[in-house]
Amino acid sequence: MTGPLDGLRVLDMSTLFAGPLAATLLGDFGAEVIKVEHPRRPDPSRGHGPAKDGIGLWWKLLGRNKKTTTIDLSSSDGQALVLKLVETCDVVIENFRPGTLERWNLGYERLSEANPGLVLARVTGFGQFGPSARRAGFGTLAEAMSGFAAITGEPDGPPTLPPFGLADSISALTTAYAVMAALNGRASTGKGQVVDLAIIEPILTVLGPQPIWYDQLGYVQPRTGNRSMNTAPRNTYRTSDDKWVAVSTSAQSIAERVMRLVGREDLIDEPWFASGVERAAHADVLDEAVGGWIAKHTRDEVMAEFERAEAAVAPIYDVRDVLEDPQYEALGTLTRVPDPELGSVLMQNVLFRLSETPGEIRWAGRPHGADTDEVLGGLGLSEAEIADLRARGVV
């Protein structure tokens, strides 16, 4: 069964996370993705995080469904190979600093001469123009500059950064969406275009109405820990067996059910209880009531009682719990992928389910340059020509 993006060809020239993950998402649903790496400097994600037998495990996830080839983009022969590849591709994804492709004579003007329908997705920290455009940009900087870190953490603690690539991941999802929007535009105009994706922007969007709050009210959102400014009780609570659960009461009816469950229905009659914002102002009282009740019960007991009361609760999982959860199992959220290097690897499945043209993981991340001969042979190069390029360090 072919995916909905079958026939789409993507050249992934990006490194680390935002750009490469966007290409992965396209590959999961049938696009042919060709990953280009430097012949002597592989994508740094191959060395990120834990490894087994010298094989980076993060790459197995990030590099899945990609053919891997090596080309030195700074060499004239390498640039000629890229132009040949571009002639056959629909999309190029890159995340070099602005001006780098142009310095290599691979700017969009030249790429579009080779392929007028090409969509070039440029993923950078700060975008293609402006006073910060040429600064080194990483997701951590976006998490800091967007306002995310400023509202994350305890009120009396420091701003807090996430322990994973949050801004990069949000940007990857946005880039995949932007590429599809650009391709749909091409269907109408016949012309490709440039996607300018600044990693500092998507995370700012998902933070919500902070700008309009400040514009209209002069309001700056503070750090509130696990609490919400809009409703309460909303927090994490420790159970009697030293585990944790999270409780949400975004709906008024849920808040009332929780208070009845924990034996504090008297609080429902308080004038302030009818408003989520007012409940948030009385979070200390509500947390004491809910936390005190939860502390007397095991996690399983809490889950069962909340479910009986039709109240909203979830266990705080680590990865071991995720692997054992029956809902994740029913959805097929995790899947095992055969791998010639490691036998098989467990990873997240494709991001969503399509009823007629589902996505598929065809293989995990492959070794550095494993498909160079196949990719270049597909351009019409002979074995001798490929051998010569390899001997000269072009591939």
Side-chain angles (χ1 to χ4, degrees):
M1 185 177 295
T2 58
L5 300 183
D6 183 54
L8 188 71
R9 203 170 203 219
V10 178
L11 191 63
D12 176 13
M13 299 197 303
S14 57
T15 59
L16 289 174
F17 303 112
L21 181 55
T24 301
L25 298 174
L26 298 174
D28 283 351
F29 287 90
E32 179 187 5
V33 180
I34 300 171
K35 169 74 173 180
V36 174
E37 299 174 81
H38 192 279
R40 293 165 295 283
R41 296 189 297 275
D43 189 315
S45 65
R46 290 181 180 271
H48 268 58
K52 182 180 180 181
D53 299 330
I55 300 168
L57 299 179
W58 202 332
W59 170 252
K60 289 296 178 182
L61 174 67
L62 191 62
R64 73 188 191 189
N65 291 336
K66 298 181 182 181
K67 297 177 180 178
T68 63
T69 187
T70 60
I71 300 176
D72 183 352
L73 302 180
S74 66
S75 70
S76 58
D77 286 338
Q79 294 156 14
L81 291 175
V82 168
L83 290 173
K84 283 181 175 291
L85 279 170
V86 163
E87 291 176 2
T88 71
C89 290
D90 301 280
V91 179
V92 171
I93 301 176
E94 64 96 3
N95 67 343
F96 302 106
R97 291 195 198 187
T100 301
L101 282 189
E102 287 74 11
R103 190 171 71 250
W104 291 337
N105 298 311
L106 293 173
Y108 186 67
E109 182 176 348
R110 189 175 186 196
L111 296 180
S112 61
E113 288 177 358
N115 183 350
L118 182 73
V119 170
L120 174 63
R122 314 194 76 168
V123 184
T124 57
F126 302 99
Q128 294 296 310
F129 56 91
S132 297
R134 292 182 181 270
R135 288 176 54 195
F138 297 97
T140 298
L141 308 187
E143 290 145 10
M145 292 178 61
S146 63
F148 172 85
I151 64 170
T152 304
E154 294 300 323
D156 57 351
T160 302
L161 296 167
F164 68 103
L166 177 63
D168 278 322
S169 299
I170 296 172
S171 293
L173 293 164
T174 309
T175 301
Y177 164 64
V179 165
M180 298 312 299
L183 289 172
N184 191 64
R186 185 182 71 175
S188 301
T189 66
K191 296 181 180 179
Q193 58 185 301
V194 176
V195 172
D196 178 6
L197 193 290
I199 296 173
I200 60 173
E201 291 184 306
I203 188 171
L204 179 60
T205 295
V206 302
L207 285 176
Q210 289 189 24
I212 195 171
W213 282 343
Y214 183 74
D215 174 61
Q216 296 296 306
L217 302 171
Y219 177 76
V220 178
Q221 184 176 344
R223 286 191 292 283
T224 56
N226 290 322
R227 289 178 172 177
S228 168
M229 303 180 304
N230 304 307
T231 188
R234 191 265 196 183
N235 213 326
T236 60
Y237 307 92
R238 192 194 298 266
T239 63
S240 64
D241 53 348
D242 203 29
K243 297 181 180 179
W244 292 83
V245 297
V247 172
S248 175
T249 57
S250 296
Q252 178 70 21
S253 60
I254 298 295
E256 293 175 5
R257 291 172 193 167
V258 170
M259 301 322 296
R260 292 191 183 98
L261 170 62
V262 303
R264 292 300 309 272
E265 56 267 28
D266 59 298
L267 294 175
I268 299 174
D269 297 327
E270 293 287 345
W272 48 262
F273 195 87
S275 163
V277 172
E278 286 299 311
R279 290 201 309 275
H282 293 79
D284 286 342
V285 174
L286 297 171
D287 275 347
E288 182 180 359
V290 175
W293 184 89
I294 288 176
K296 298 175 183 177
H297 298 79
T298 66
R299 186 173 75 178
D300 287 347
E301 291 170 345
V302 171
M303 296 299 298
E305 289 300 308
F306 266 73
E307 184 173 349
R308 182 187 60 77
E310 297 184 348
V313 68
I316 303 293
Y317 279 171
D318 65 22
V319 67
R320 295 167 294 187
D321 300 307
V322 170
L323 299 185
E324 296 177 357
D325 182 83
Q327 182 61 30
Y328 280 129
E329 182 179 0
L331 293 173
T333 306
L334 297 165
T335 188
R336 190 161 288 282
V337 180
D339 182 74
E341 292 184 291
L342 297 175
S344 71
V345 289
L346 186 71
M347 63 178 63
Q348 298 92 324
N349 210 335
V350 297
L351 198 56
F352 47 84
R353 288 160 291 281
L354 296 179
S355 61
E356 302 302 322
T357 54
E360 178 188 16
I361 302 174
R362 300 182 295 282
W363 60 81
R366 290 169 56 72
H368 180 231
D371 304 291
T372 298
D373 288 6
E374 176 189 339
V375 171
L376 298 186
L379 297 177
L381 276 71
S382 67
E383 291 184 7
E385 288 173 316
I386 296 172
D388 175 64
L389 291 170
R390 183 169 282 118
R392 293 189 287 116
V394 177
V395 301

